[in-house]
Amino acid sequence: MAEAEGVCRRWDRDGSGTLDLEEFLRALRPPMSQAREAVIAAAFSKLDRSGDGVVTVDDLRGVYSCHAHPKVQSGEWTEEEVLRRFLDNFDSSEKDGQVTLAEFQDYYSGVSASMDTDEEFVAMMTSAWRL
């Protein structure tokens, strides 16, 4: 029983005292290779225009154009909202508008777990982020 409680505490990322499905699946992910970690870091560096180790809407503004986004075109969202929602994909559950390298790596570790080879993962990242 004590061993199970220790495992639960170690994997319980939100401190709720229980493991939800996301926490359980995250704990089962295999570690990423150096090649995968390196390409993730390169993509993060491309986004982190200020070089402060945190990606924010300010880092994205001027780099990515959102004016053609359907919801911007319809007036439903502003360009700022599009950029914020884009960042929210990589942000932790708190959604503070700031994405750290650790959060970015965590997001891509989930993607990585579904890709068999380093070559496939690196090619996908290189293409997606135009590295």
Side-chain angles (χ1 to χ4, degrees), residues 1-17:
M1 185 67 172
E3 187 175 339
E5 288 175 358
V7 168
C8 184
R9 274 193 305 277
R10 187 170 61 241
W11 292 352
D12 179 20
R13 294 172 59 102
D14 65 5
S16 67

Side-chain angles (χ1 to χ4, degrees), residues 86-130:
F86 175 74
L87 273 183
D88 284 351
N89 289 302
F90 307 105
D91 208 349
S92 67
S93 59
E94 295 174 20
K95 308 284 185 235
D96 61 2
Q98 299 183 3
V99 176
T100 64
L101 176 57
E103 289 170 325
F104 199 69
Q105 287 173 324
D106 186 53
Y107 172 85
Y108 276 108
S109 72
V111 175
S112 174
S114 69
M115 301 184 92
D116 292 333
T117 67
D118 286 352
E119 293 77 17
E120 180 184 15
F121 183 80
V122 169
M124 178 276 300
M125 290 291 292
T126 301
S127 175
W129 294 107
R130 297 184 181 157

Side-chain angles (χ1 to χ4, degrees), residues 45-112:
S45 292
K46 183 175 182 177
L47 291 176
D48 182 18
R49 306 277 294 175
S50 65
D52 64 356
V54 178
V55 177
T56 64
V57 168
D58 287 338
D59 287 308
L60 299 179
R61 193 179 289 113
V63 177
Y64 295 101
S65 175
C66 303
H67 72 274
H69 190 285
K71 293 198 176 190
V72 171
Q73 292 284 309
S74 72
E76 187 177 340
W77 290 355
T78 65
E79 290 189 41
E80 176 105 2
E81 287 174 297
V82 171
L83 293 172
R84 178 63 190 261
R85 288 173 186 253
F86 175 74
L87 273 183
D88 284 351
N89 289 302
F90 307 105
D91 208 349
S92 67
S93 59
E94 295 174 20
K95 308 284 185 235
D96 61 2
Q98 299 183 3
V99 176
T100 64
L101 176 57
E103 289 170 325
F104 199 69
Q105 287 173 324
D106 186 53
Y107 172 85
Y108 276 108
S109 72
V111 175
S112 174

